[in-house]
């Protein structure tokens, strides 16, 4: 395979017609589905090029017949490959990390050992934090199937913010000597994180991981977890690393000598058209990784919006409020009714188990086939199994009506609007006004007000997500299809990451139930009581709407002459009908 340097054109601006984009997406989706059996390796990165002003991509030079032959060549199965392997995982205490570790050990029981890089937190040692994770419901199946589970996992005290990852000499020597596969998913996922900290974790942390990987004697695969939205300043995102507006080394140098306030003052200018520091630093990290990992077996996995699990190990499992989960909680509790967004735009959600299955398969392919280039995998659903924000809102409304949350403030009824004026008006009427009324009632009862503060925090959280609900992207998936075609039918089932297998209606139902059980900690046996409370809220809400309508009408009749005349006309017709009814009844 040869490679070449390609200069990319300026990125298109976001915000084209939603209908036109939907038509284009349907054509592209059909093209993907019709051609998913033979995608060439056209989207890698040549580690040997050092140009700093171009975008790197690779082109396949082998013929189609040679490629099809290679696709059907026998390979070691995924689970067999992991037998007797030693792994290093970062971010194992995070949402994806927990699911990745569980899946690896459950579906690849031959794994010899897993080193888990964990930092002490809130007075807990790394060992105590891992024990909390292993004792959770997520690991129930694994605890039963693997009695020696805890002996397979070695918590290692470390921190990606520290020099040399905060590892002791003994721990570093142990990891370097044993590790075969690295999964690096540790990062700050906070969208509005300060740029200084975001660079330290998401960019410098990657550099430190690469430095450690270079010392490993038996490294076969290094998998870096990025995000499909690292290049959200482009409408079309290929499986390639794009040239950043500023070289990562320059920003790293600035972060080292500038204080946090100075960096924060420059943040908006630095991130440019990207919406937050998270996507910006993830893009820089990809570029830095490619530059500094030459000669290493590296691959990059880019999930889109990671949501609750689709099927493994528990349908609907989720344990945090990041991404869409926070919206689900707010909607289910009757606290969120309106968002700025396009209901026809794609909600590119990917279940967490789908993403982790892809990561496991990518490591297998990287080690077995040894690609010459750094391959990037867009683990997305939008162009393969489309789901829209409007469909999500409708299904959330339906699910939370049938399976209501406990202690709801109001009846769930989420919707999107493209008008910022209408969004702000409805936010004030449907969210802020009730919040002030609820807080006033709490004060009268001698309790501490809380609803206005909740709405303020919710407003900040929603604002960070509205960029993604209001815009549309096309994510290319050539390498994903390539990977699927290299796997056996058994491995495709065991490590399924094909988005076409997802039934969105069933997925959203499980997501809502998972939010109730795992995030809100609600007992499903209390569902009848929650339904009674919902019916009470519906009656109260209907009554309030009627009363509000009457009050508004009376004010209009009293103060607006047109409405006063209309009211008199209506009363005249009613009086006329009542006088005629007795005579009509006698004649019949």
């Amino acid at each position: 395979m040869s490679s070449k340097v390609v200069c990319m054109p300026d990125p298109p601006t976001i915000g084209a017609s939603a209908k036109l984009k939907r038509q284009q997406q349907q054509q592209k989706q059909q093209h993907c589905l019709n051609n998913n059996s033979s995608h060439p390796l056209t989207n890698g990165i040549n580690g040997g090029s050092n140009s700093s002003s171009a975008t790197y991509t690779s082109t396949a030079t082998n013929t189609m017949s040679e490629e099809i032959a290679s696709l059907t060549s026998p390979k070691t199965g995924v689970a067999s490959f992991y037998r007797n392997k030693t792994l290093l995982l970062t971010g194992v205490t995070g949402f994806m990390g927990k699911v990745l570790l569980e899946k690896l050990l459950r579906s690849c029981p031959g794994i010899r050992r897993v080193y888990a890089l964990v930092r002490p937190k809130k007075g807990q040692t790394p060992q105590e934090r891992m024990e909390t994770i292993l004792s959770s419901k997520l690991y129930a199946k694994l605890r039963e199937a693997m009695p020696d589970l805890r002996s397979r996992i070695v918590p290692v005290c470390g921190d990606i913010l520290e020099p040399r990852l905060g590892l002791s000499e003994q721990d570093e020597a142990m990891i370097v000597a044993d590790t075969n596969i690295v999964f690096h998913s540790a990062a700050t996922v906070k969208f509005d994180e300060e740029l200084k900290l975001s660079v330290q974790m998401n960019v410098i942390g990657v550099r430190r991981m690469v430095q450690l990987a270079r010392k490993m004697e038996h490294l076969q695969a290094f998998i870096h977890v990025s995000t499909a939205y690292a290049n959200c300043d482009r409408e079309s995102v290929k499986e390639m690393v794009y040239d950043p507006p500023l070289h990562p080394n320059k920003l790293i140098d600035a972060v080292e000598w500038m204080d946090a306030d100075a960096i924060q003052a420059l943040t908006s200018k630095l991130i440019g058209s990207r919406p937050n520091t998270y996507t910006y630093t993830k893009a820089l990290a990809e570029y830095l990784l490619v530059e500094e990992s030459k000669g290493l077996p590296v691959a990059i996995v880019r999930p889109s919006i990671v949501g609750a699990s689709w099927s493994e190990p528990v349908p609907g499992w989720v344990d945090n409020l990041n991404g869409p989960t926070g919206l689900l909680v707010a909607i289910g509790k009757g606290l969120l009714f309106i968002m700025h967004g396009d209901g026809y735009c794609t909600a590119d959600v990917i279940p967490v188990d789908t993403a982790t299955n892809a990561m496991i398969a990518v490591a297998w392919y990287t080690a077995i086939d040894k690609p010459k280039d750094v391959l990037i995998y867009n683990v997305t659903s939008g162009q393969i199994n489309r789901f829209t924000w409007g469909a999500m809102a409708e299904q959330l409304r339906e699910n939370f009506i049938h399976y209501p949350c406990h202690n709801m403030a109001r009846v769930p009824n989420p919707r999107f609007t493209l008008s910022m004026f209408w969004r702000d008006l409805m936010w004030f009427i449907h969210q802020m006004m009730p919040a002030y009324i609820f807080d006033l009632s709490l004060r009268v009862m001698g309790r501490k007000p809380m609803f206005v503060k909740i709405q303020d925090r919710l407003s900040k959280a929603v604002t960070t997500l509205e960029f993604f609900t209001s815009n549309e992207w096309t994510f290319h998936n050539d390498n994903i299809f390539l990977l699927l075609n290299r796997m056996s039918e058994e491995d495709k089932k065991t490590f399924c990451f094909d988005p076409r297998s997802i039934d969105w209606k069933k997925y959203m139902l499980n997501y809502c139930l998972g939010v109730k059980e795992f995030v809100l900690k609600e007992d499903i046996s209390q569902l009848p009581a929650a339904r009674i409370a919902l019916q009470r809220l519906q009656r109260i809400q209907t009554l309030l709407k009627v009363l509000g309508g009457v009050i508004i009408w009376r004010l209009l009749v009293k103060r607006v002459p047109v409405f006063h005349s209309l009211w008199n006309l209506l009363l005249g017709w009613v009086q006329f009908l009542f006088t005629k009814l007795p005579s009509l009844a006698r004649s019949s």
Side-chain angles (χ1 to χ4, degrees):
M1 182 180 298
S2 63
S3 62
K4 63 181 181 180
V5 177
V6 179
C7 293
M8 299 299 295
D10 293 336
T13 56
I14 303 295
S17 167
K19 291 185 178 179
L20 177 59
K21 285 187 279 186
R22 287 201 303 277
Q23 294 173 356
Q24 294 172 340
Q25 285 174 340
Q26 290 170 357
Q27 295 172 357
K28 291 175 182 176
Q29 179 179 356
Q30 189 61 43
H31 174 76
C32 289
L33 296 179
N34 290 339
N35 295 278
N36 65 0
S37 59
S38 57
H39 286 271
L41 275 171
T42 59
N43 299 298
I45 297 175
N46 186 344
S49 176
N50 60 3
S51 171
S52 61
S53 61
T55 300
Y56 301 89
T57 184
S58 65
T59 56
T61 57
N62 55 333
T63 64
M64 183 64 70
S65 59
E66 291 173 335
E67 186 173 64
I68 294 175
S70 69
L71 291 178
T72 58
S73 60
K75 293 293 180 182
T76 304
V78 176
S80 299
F81 161 74
Y82 280 94
R83 188 176 296 120
N84 294 323
K85 295 294 191 296
T86 296
L87 283 58
L88 170 63
L89 271 63
T90 70
V92 72
T93 58
F95 178 44
M96 288 187 67
K98 294 173 186 175
V99 178
L100 175 63
L101 176 61
E102 193 278 339
K103 176 63 175 181
L104 280 166
L105 292 174
R106 179 165 50 84
S107 296
C108 306
I111 288 175
R112 184 166 69 94
R113 184 179 296 116
V114 177
Y115 294 121
L117 189 70
V118 184
R119 62 187 173 93
K121 185 178 181 181
K122 296 180 180 178
Q124 282 191 314
T125 64
Q127 291 75 16
E128 291 171 337
R129 294 186 69 190
M130 282 305 305
E131 181 57 34
T132 301
I133 293 171
L134 297 178
S135 301
S136 66
K137 185 174 180 179
L138 179 67
Y139 284 76
K141 290 182 180 179
L142 186 58
R143 288 195 302 270
E144 184 178 345
M146 187 178 288
D148 63 338
L149 168 63
R150 288 168 175 81
S151 66
R152 303 281 190 98
I153 303 170
V154 181
V156 178
C157 185
D159 190 340
I160 61 173
L161 289 174
E162 299 293 331
R164 295 177 54 251
L165 300 170
L167 294 170
S168 67
E169 291 184 4
Q170 180 181 359
D171 286 342
E172 181 178 311
M174 175 179 65
I175 290 172
V176 166
D178 290 348
T179 301
N180 305 112
I181 303 163
V182 176
F183 289 99
H184 176 51
S185 62
T188 174
V189 296
K190 188 178 178 182
F191 281 178
D192 56 351
E193 187 69 81
E194 290 186 0
L195 182 58
K196 186 180 182 72
L197 180 58
S198 193
V199 169
Q200 289 172 337
M201 292 192 70
N202 295 352
V203 184
I204 300 177
V206 169
R207 167 174 284 174
R208 290 172 177 148
M209 287 298 299
V210 172
Q211 291 170 347
L212 178 66
R214 286 207 173 276
K215 300 176 184 178
M216 295 178 180
E217 302 170 8
H218 309 290
L219 181 66
Q220 293 180 274
F222 182 108
I223 309 305
H224 171 66
V225 181
S226 184
T227 172
Y229 295 98
N231 301 288
C232 59
D233 55 334
R234 299 172 177 271
E235 284 190 345
S236 178
V237 181
K238 297 182 180 180
E239 291 172 306
M240 61 185 359
V241 170
Y242 293 93
D243 219 23
L246 178 69
H247 195 283
N249 286 333
K250 293 183 179 179
L251 185 58
I252 291 172
D253 292 340
V255 165
E256 289 178 350
W257 66 267
M258 293 179 70
D259 59 37
D261 291 338
I263 291 289
Q264 197 65 22
L266 295 172
T267 296
S268 60
K269 185 175 181 179
L270 287 170
I271 66 176
S273 57
R274 288 183 173 87
N276 51 55
T277 58
Y278 173 71
T279 57
Y280 177 66
T281 53
K282 279 294 188 178
L284 294 179
E286 288 185 0
Y287 191 86
L288 184 76
L289 175 64
V290 171
E291 277 204 333
E292 302 196 354
S293 66
K294 296 171 184 176
L296 294 178
V298 172
I300 298 174
V301 176
R302 290 177 179 160
S304 50
I305 303 172
V306 181
S309 61
W310 164 228
S311 60
E312 294 184 287
V314 181
W317 185 84
V318 62
D319 72 340
N320 62 74
L321 294 173
N322 295 331
T325 306
L327 299 182
L328 264 68
V329 170
I331 291 168
K333 285 291 188 178
L335 298 172
L336 178 62
F337 293 88
I338 190 79
M339 278 188 67
H340 180 246
D342 187 346
Y344 294 105
C345 279
T346 301
D348 208 311
V349 177
I350 200 77
V352 64
D353 50 335
T354 302
T356 52
N357 281 340
M359 292 165 61
I360 295 169
V362 166
W364 162 79
Y365 177 77
T366 303
I368 293 294
D369 275 52
K370 299 179 177 60
K372 295 180 181 179
D373 304 314
V374 176
L375 298 186
I376 294 88
Y377 300 83
N378 287 338
V379 185
T380 60
S381 61
Q383 274 61 59
I384 306 172
N385 185 3
R386 192 166 183 268
F387 185 51
T388 65
W389 291 111
M392 178 184 287
E394 183 61 33
Q395 291 180 24
L396 289 176
R397 181 187 302 109
E398 179 181 332
N399 291 335
F400 281 124
I401 292 296
H402 285 91
Y403 302 94
C405 296
H406 301 334
N407 303 318
M408 287 185 300
R410 297 173 65 196
V411 179
N413 186 26
R415 54 196 179 276
F416 290 94
T417 177
L418 287 171
S419 169
M420 283 300 297
F421 171 77
W422 186 254
R423 182 262 193 198
D424 293 340
L425 178 62
M426 291 298 100
W427 187 281
F428 178 75
I429 294 173
H430 288 289
Q431 300 196 194
M432 294 308 300
M433 286 180 61
Y436 282 113
I437 294 172
F438 290 154
D439 276 355
L440 179 61
S441 64
L442 289 176
R443 289 180 186 277
V444 171
M445 293 185 289
R447 296 167 61 184
K448 187 177 180 180
M450 61 178 181
F451 286 97
V452 172
K453 289 183 179 179
I454 290 175
Q455 286 296 330
D456 288 340
R457 290 198 297 267
L458 184 59
S459 177
K460 292 178 181 178
V462 167
T463 300
T464 63
L465 295 173
E466 286 180 338
F467 177 84
F468 303 97
T469 59
S470 305
N471 292 301
E472 189 92 43
W473 291 268
T474 298
F475 296 109
H476 297 256
N477 307 103
D478 291 358
N479 288 340
I480 286 295
F481 286 120
L482 168 80
L483 186 58
L484 280 170
N485 287 325
R486 299 306 299 265
M487 298 171 68
S488 67
E489 292 302 318
E490 181 180 353
D491 281 342
K492 288 179 184 178
K493 294 177 182 178
T494 305
F495 303 95
C496 180
F497 55 88
D498 189 342
R500 288 171 293 185
S501 67
I502 303 169
D503 179 338
W504 289 116
K505 187 172 183 179
K506 184 177 179 181
Y507 175 74
M508 290 309 301
L509 174 59
N510 288 333
Y511 204 158
C512 293
L513 294 176
V515 163
K516 284 170 57 64
E517 181 178 359
F518 303 115
V519 178
L520 299 176
K521 309 297 183 184
E522 295 184 355
D523 188 348
I524 197 69
S525 64
Q526 299 299 315
L527 187 58
R531 284 173 173 161
I532 293 172
L534 173 62
Q535 292 172 356
R536 187 184 306 116
L537 274 177
Q538 288 173 322
R539 288 193 292 268
I540 292 173
Q541 191 164 304
T542 301
L543 178 61
L544 289 175
K545 286 181 179 179
V546 172
L547 289 176
V550 170
I551 292 172
I552 292 172
W553 177 254
R554 290 298 299 165
L555 289 173
L556 290 173
V557 167
K558 192 172 183 179
R559 297 180 179 274
V560 181
V562 173
F563 283 95
H564 181 76
S565 301
L566 183 62
W567 178 243
N568 288 335
L569 179 63
L570 181 62
L571 289 178
W573 274 102
V574 171
Q575 185 178 5
F576 172 77
L577 288 175
F578 269 98
T579 57
K580 293 295 183 179
L581 280 176
S583 59
L584 290 173
R586 284 194 299 269
S587 63
S588 62

